[in-house]
């Protein structure tokens, strides 16, 4: 097998040439008007926002920081501005069923107009009606009613008095009422004289008084009925007076709203109620003394107010609402309560709109994680979308948590496009476990995390940077700084052929670079300011990495960077803390012995191995059996362990290192400890790509550099990971100077050759490997173990 050369410096880092740009600073660039790299997502958003059929709501997928909200909001603003304004929605008092307020749909802007008209009407009537009842005309009519009643009563009493006089009886008026007494010469007969009258005269007088008393009682019995008649006439007078006052006002309002039948019907109900409750307008303010405090109560006339739930007078086109705190009440709306003298009371004016009301006729933007975390909010949203109505109901009332009097507002029809934002995990979990989700959110807009690295996208990316700079009010960036940001974007993407679309991270870098540029009194941001921002960001987060590498330098964590050891290799894993990823070099050791084909993964035995890592170890056993024990038993037991590892091990990126450690021990071939290795391997010995390759290389380089580079140190990586390399400048410089090496391997044979310095050897037509090759030694050792197993079986009567 030919020698594997190390990678060249140009393969380790892809530069962005600033000379390709025709601008000097970003101030010369126009704002980016198009959206780059999100064609698939834009097509989904355009489709989902345009189709109006039921259930075609959107779920925007992608990790946070991608600029999903900004992109969707920008698109919707352009689309919504051309759409018609939605209706205003109001709640009115229900005069027949006060606990069931009525909803009212009005053209945009008419809700506030109607509310102001009703307020002006009530304010006018509060002064006009008392004045009308104090007018001379009203008083004359009222006096006429009272006079007519009094005259009729006096006439009947007078007639009874005349009749009594004819019978020598006098009708007397007393404070207690009326009384009848005998008389002579129109004078009341004193009791002592009455006693001296003949019995016949007494009998006549008593008979006359009895007849007159009957007539008097008949007259007095009619008085309550006549008083009722008088009161009814007074009430009718009051109604007529009230009607004459309000009729012309309502006629004016009817002329304004003559094209809205529901409003005209409401005016009729209000007018009728005002006439019935005319006395409410005549009552003066009352004062109540409670514990020494004087409380003045005013007539509020709430029944005649208009509760404008949503008004779109100030909006341009369809509304776009983002609800940052999507609780149940904030979404669906609520009925509030007032405390009065220790009791909770409410009315239709205390009905408050939710985000669905405000977005009705437009677009509602929600964060999937936040709404799923709020109790009942997700179910409430689904219920509203399924029913296409917003039914405001108190959770306390629904679940019998409170026993206060509540309202049952009439549901409002719902026509809204809901757009959820969230990580992909939420979308797939909801698809799997919520059967209603796929019926309500039929459109998925999946955002790309990267775009192609090419010259065309460079200029677009530069325009994007210029747009972010102007948005944040930053100093202009020169072309070299823009090129450095593009290179950082490639590193962020972990791919030399891609650029990251993680806009939050890019925007943060621009802000931090602006800070360092101002600290250095620069008028424009330079590439050195970008690098300082990158270095400072790492510095703020690398305390744990420094302590870990310090432990390695002090040999607390044992990692060799020189010498050769059998069955021992330097593996590379990655730790990510708070968004900062760094490599953790780990010593991996393997031992082999006579056995029955067991591959002991010590991490798995103590439950510190994840499923993927355990899978990788099992693949090693399959590879050994397939390559070296096709025609004989694999009489081998092996143990693999990550030394000084005290946490969970997951992933298969160390399976190549583990396999090399096993082969080293089987072949009794020492491994060069100045090299580290990372990569996944399959059953055929092919090396597969892994993640975080840049961090792994840099981590081992830092350890070697701290111990002084010897020119022999380096890292083995999968060949398929070469396209992902975007290494730090000091690593590239060390490779260029021959002080550090990076090798790309395609299979385990190449890896073991680099690690041991021996040829792996290729099988000939007879199925044999060349002597002094690694594969020959391994095959030889496994054959010896198989013979031991056979010998053991012959002597003991059973195999191991």
């Amino acid at each position: 097998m030919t020698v594997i050369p190390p990678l060249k410096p140009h393969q380790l880092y892809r530069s962005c040439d600033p000379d390709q740009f025709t601008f000097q600073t970003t101030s010369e660039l126009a704002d980016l008007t198009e959206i780059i790299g999100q064609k698939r997502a834009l097509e989904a958003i355009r489709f989902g926002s345009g189709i109006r059929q039921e259930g075609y709501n959107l779920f925007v997928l992608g990790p946070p920081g991608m600029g999903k909200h900004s992109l969707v909001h920008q698109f919707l603003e352009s689309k919504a501005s051309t759409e018609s304004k939605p209706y205003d929605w109001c709640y009115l008092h229900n005069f027949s069923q006060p606990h069931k307020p009525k909803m009212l749909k009005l053209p945009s802007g008419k809700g506030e107009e109607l509310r102001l008209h009703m307020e002006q009407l009530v304010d006018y009537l509060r002064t006009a009606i008392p004045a009308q009842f104090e007018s001379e005309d009203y008083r004359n009519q009222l006096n006429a009613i009272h006079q007519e009643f009094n005259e009729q009563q006096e006439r009947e009493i007078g007639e009874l008095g005349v009749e009594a006089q004819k019978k020598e009886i006098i009708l007397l008026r007393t404070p207690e009422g009326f009384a009848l007494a005998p008389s002579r010469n129109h004078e009341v007969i004193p009791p002592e004289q009455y006693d001296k009258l003949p019995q016949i005269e007494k009998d006549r007088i008593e008979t006359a008084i009895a007849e007159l008393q009957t007539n008097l009682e008949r007259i007095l019995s009619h008085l309550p009925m006549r008083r009722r008649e008088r009161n009814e006439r007074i009430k009718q007078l009051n109604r007529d007076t009230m009607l004459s006052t309000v009729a012309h006002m309502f006629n004016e309002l009817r002329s304004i709203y003559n094209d809205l039948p529901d409003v005209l019907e409401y005016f009729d109900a209000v007018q009728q109620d005002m006439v019935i409750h005319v006395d409410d307008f005549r009552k003066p303010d009352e004062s109540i003394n409670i514990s020494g405090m004087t409380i003045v109560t005013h007539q509020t006339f709430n029944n005649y107010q208009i509760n404008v739930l949503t008004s779109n007078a100030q909006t341009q086109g369809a509304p776009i609402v983002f609800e940052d705190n999507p609780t149940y009440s904030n979404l669906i709306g609520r009925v509030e309560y007032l405390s009065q003298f220790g009791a909770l009371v409410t009315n239709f004016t205390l009905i408050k709109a939710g985000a669905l009301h405000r977005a009705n006729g437009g677009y509602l933007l929600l964060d999937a994680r936040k709404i799923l975390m709020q109790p009942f909010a997700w179910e409430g949203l689904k219920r509203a979308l399924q029913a296409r109505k917003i039914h405001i109901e108190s959770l306390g009332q629904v679940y019998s948590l409170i026993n206060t009097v509540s309202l049952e507002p009439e549901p409002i029809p719902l026509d809204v496009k809901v757009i959820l934002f969230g990580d992909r995990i939420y979308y797939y979990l909801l698809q799997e476990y919520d059967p209603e989700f796929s019926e309500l959110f039929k459109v998925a807009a999946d955002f790309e995390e990267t775009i192609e690295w090419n010259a065309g996208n460079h200029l677009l990316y530069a325009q994007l940077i210029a747009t972010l700079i102007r948005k944040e009010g930053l100093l202009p960036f020169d072309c070299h700084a823009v090129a450095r940001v593009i290179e950082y974007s490639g590193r962020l993407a972990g791919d030399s052929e891609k650029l990251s679309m993680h806009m939050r991270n890019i925007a943060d870098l621009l802000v931090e670079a602006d800070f360092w540029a101002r600290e250095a009194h620069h008028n424009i941001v330079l590439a050195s300011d970008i690098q300082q921002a990158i270095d400072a960001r790492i510095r703020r987060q690398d305390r744990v990495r420094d302590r870990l590498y310090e432990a390695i330098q002090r040999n607390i964590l044992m990692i060799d960077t020189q010498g050769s050891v059998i069955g021992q290799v330097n593996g590379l894993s990655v730790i990510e803390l708070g968004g900062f990823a760094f490599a953790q070099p780990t010593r991996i050791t393997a031992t082999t012995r006579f056995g029955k084909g067991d591959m002991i993964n010590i991490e798995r035995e103590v439950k510190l191995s994840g499923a993927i890592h355990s899978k990788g170890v099992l693949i090693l056993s399959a590879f050994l059996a397939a390559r070296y024990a096709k025609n004989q038993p694999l009489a081998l037991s092996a143990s693999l362990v990550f030394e000084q590892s005290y946490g969970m091990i997951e992933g298969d990126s160390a399976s190549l290192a583990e396999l090399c450690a096993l082969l080293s021990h089987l072949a009794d071939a020492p491994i060069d400890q100045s090299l580290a290795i990372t990569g996944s391997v399959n059953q055929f010995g092919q090396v597969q790509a892994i993640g975080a390759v840049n961090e792994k290389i840099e981590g081992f380089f830092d350890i070697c550099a701290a111990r002084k580079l010897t020119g022999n140190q380096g890292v083995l990586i999968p060949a398929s990971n070469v396209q992902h390399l975007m290494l730090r400048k000091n690593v590239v410089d060390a490779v260029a100077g021959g002080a550090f090496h990076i090798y790309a391997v395609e299979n385990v044979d190449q890896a073991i050759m680099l690690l041991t310095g021996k040829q792996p050897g290729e099988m000939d037509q007879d199925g044999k490997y060349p002597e002094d090759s690694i594969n020959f030694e391994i095959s030889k050792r496994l054959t010896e173990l198989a013979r031991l197993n056979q010998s053991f079986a012959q002597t003991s009567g059973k195999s191991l």
Side-chain angles (χ1 to χ4, degrees), residues 452-616:
E452 293 295 326
W453 181 320
N454 55 51
N457 282 338
H458 284 175
L459 182 58
L460 291 175
Y461 214 89
Q463 282 186 271
L464 176 61
I465 292 171
T467 304
L468 292 173
I469 289 170
R470 274 189 281 274
K471 180 181 177 182
E472 299 292 339
L474 309 179
L475 292 173
F477 284 46
D478 73 358
C479 58
H480 295 274
V482 171
R484 184 66 188 93
V485 172
I486 291 175
E487 292 171 358
Y488 174 78
S489 176
R491 171 60 186 257
L492 199 63
D495 195 329
S496 62
E497 298 179 4
K498 301 287 185 179
L499 295 177
S500 173
M501 291 303 295
H502 197 285
M503 288 300 101
R504 184 187 301 167
N505 209 318
I506 298 298
D508 290 345
L509 177 65
L510 301 181
V511 171
E512 293 167 21
D514 174 84
F515 171 82
W516 293 114
R518 293 178 190 272
E519 286 285 301
H521 305 291
H522 295 163
N523 294 324
I524 59 176
V525 178
L526 307 176
S528 59
D529 300 318
I530 301 293
Q531 188 59 50
Q532 187 173 3
I534 295 172
D535 294 340
R537 177 181 290 187
I538 294 173
R539 177 62 180 167
R540 293 193 297 271
Q541 297 178 306
D542 67 352
R543 188 193 66 82
V544 175
R545 184 187 69 176
D546 285 354
R547 299 290 78 77
L548 178 66
Y549 290 179
E550 179 186 358
I552 294 175
Q553 298 304 324
R554 297 172 63 188
N555 290 321
I556 298 172
L557 294 178
M558 292 187 292
I559 299 292
D560 292 335
T561 55
Q562 294 184 31
S564 299
V565 181
I566 294 173
Q568 176 179 302
V569 68
N570 293 322
L572 298 172
S573 57
V574 170
I575 297 175
E576 183 169 357
L577 296 173
F580 176 63
F582 59 92
Q584 179 185 9
T586 305
R587 174 180 291 180
I588 299 174
T589 60
T591 60
T592 60
R593 57 199 171 278
F594 175 59
K596 54 181 180 179
D598 296 333
M599 186 72 68
I600 299 175
N601 174 10
I602 293 179
E603 264 74 30
R604 183 180 63 184
E605 297 300 319
V606 295
K607 297 181 172 56
L608 287 179
S609 174
I612 297 176
H613 177 250
S614 298
K615 172 187 174 183

Side-chain angles (χ1 to χ4, degrees), residues 91-93 118 266 300-307 348-349:
Y91 271 114
L92 312 172
H93 180 68
M118 290 303 297
Y266 172 68
T300 58
F301 301 103
N302 282 336
N303 293 350
Y304 309 130
Q305 293 183 20
I306 304 294
N307 183 359
F348 78 99
T349 65

Side-chain angles (χ1 to χ4, degrees), residues 113-130 242-243 245-254 257 266-272 274 281 301 304-306:
E113 182 181 328
L114 178 61
R115 184 185 66 80
L116 290 174
H117 279 146
M118 290 303 297
E119 285 184 358
Q120 293 168 1
L121 173 65
V122 171
D123 289 342
Y124 169 76
L125 294 179
R126 291 182 67 176
T127 56
I129 290 175
M242 178 71 172
L243 186 60
T245 305
V246 303
H248 74 280
M249 295 293 297
F250 276 107
N251 288 337
E252 291 180 8
L253 292 177
R254 288 187 180 95
Y257 299 95
Y266 172 68
F267 286 158
D268 292 339
V270 172
Q271 178 175 312
Q272 182 181 357
M274 284 182 171
F281 288 89
F301 301 103
Y304 309 130
Q305 293 183 20
I306 304 294

Side-chain angles (χ1 to χ4, degrees), residues 17-36:
D17 185 7
D19 294 336
Q20 67 180 300
F21 298 124
T22 58
F23 62 89
Q24 294 300 316
T25 70
T26 54
S27 59
E28 303 171 26
L29 295 175
D31 284 346
L32 184 67
T33 56
E34 61 180 297
I35 299 169
I36 61 174

Side-chain angles (χ1 to χ4, degrees), residues 410-424:
E410 185 178 358
I412 290 179
L414 178 63
D415 178 20
V416 68
K417 185 71 68 174
V418 176
I419 302 174
L420 287 179
F421 295 85
D423 288 346
R424 294 183 178 91

Side-chain angles (χ1 to χ4, degrees), residues 275-528:
V275 170
I276 294 173
H277 297 92
V278 60
D279 290 339
D280 291 343
F281 288 89
R282 300 176 62 189
K283 291 178 181 178
D285 293 340
E286 299 177 354
S287 60
I288 304 174
N289 190 285
I290 301 177
S291 301
M293 294 187 300
T294 301
I295 300 176
V296 180
T297 61
H298 305 274
Q299 290 292 332
T300 58
F301 301 103
N302 282 336
N303 293 350
Y304 309 130
Q305 293 183 20
I306 304 294
N307 183 359
V308 182
L309 210 62
T310 58
S311 176
N312 297 289
Q314 305 301 321
T315 61
Q316 299 296 325
I320 303 172
V321 176
F322 173 67
E323 179 53 58
D324 186 54
N325 184 27
T327 63
Y328 179 87
S329 297
N330 288 349
L331 277 177
I332 308 299
R334 62 189 180 278
V335 178
E336 295 182 342
Y337 293 84
L338 294 175
S339 178
Q340 292 184 356
F341 307 112
L344 294 177
V345 297
T346 189
N347 59 68
F348 78 99
T349 65
L350 296 176
I351 301 174
K352 304 301 178 182
L356 285 172
H357 296 95
R358 297 193 302 274
N360 204 0
Y363 306 90
L364 175 60
L365 282 57
L366 298 170
D367 186 277
R369 176 178 171 272
K370 290 181 179 179
I371 191 173
L372 290 171
M373 289 177 64
Q374 295 293 339
F376 310 106
W378 177 243
E379 292 301 322
L381 175 65
K382 290 193 298 180
R383 188 161 55 248
L385 292 176
Q386 288 169 334
R388 305 193 75 174
K389 291 181 180 179
I390 312 172
H391 194 164
I392 300 177
E393 51 186 349
S394 167
L395 287 175
Q397 201 75 20
V398 171
Y399 293 96
S400 301
L401 301 178
I402 58 174
N403 294 315
T404 57
V405 176
S406 188
L407 301 178
E408 299 177 21
E410 185 178 358
I412 290 179
L414 178 63
D415 178 20
V416 68
K417 185 71 68 174
V418 176
I419 302 174
L420 287 179
F421 295 85
D423 288 346
R424 294 183 178 91
I425 185 64
Y426 295 119
Y427 177 79
Y428 296 124
L429 286 175
L430 287 170
Q431 282 278 10
E432 183 70 21
Y433 295 107
D434 190 338
E436 297 170 329
F437 176 75
S438 58
E439 298 177 4
L440 296 174
F441 292 87
K442 297 181 179 181
V443 182
D446 200 348
F447 269 63
E448 295 284 355
E449 298 180 44
T450 59
I451 60 172
E452 293 295 326
W453 181 320
N454 55 51
N457 282 338
H458 284 175
L459 182 58
L460 291 175
Y461 214 89
Q463 282 186 271
L464 176 61
I465 292 171
T467 304
L468 292 173
I469 289 170
R470 274 189 281 274
K471 180 181 177 182
E472 299 292 339
L474 309 179
L475 292 173
F477 284 46
D478 73 358
C479 58
H480 295 274
V482 171
R484 184 66 188 93
V485 172
I486 291 175
E487 292 171 358
Y488 174 78
S489 176
R491 171 60 186 257
L492 199 63
D495 195 329
S496 62
E497 298 179 4
K498 301 287 185 179
L499 295 177
S500 173
M501 291 303 295
H502 197 285
M503 288 300 101
R504 184 187 301 167
N505 209 318
I506 298 298
D508 290 345
L509 177 65
L510 301 181
V511 171
E512 293 167 21
D514 174 84
F515 171 82
W516 293 114
R518 293 178 190 272
E519 286 285 301
H521 305 291
H522 295 163
N523 294 324
I524 59 176
V525 178
L526 307 176
S528 59

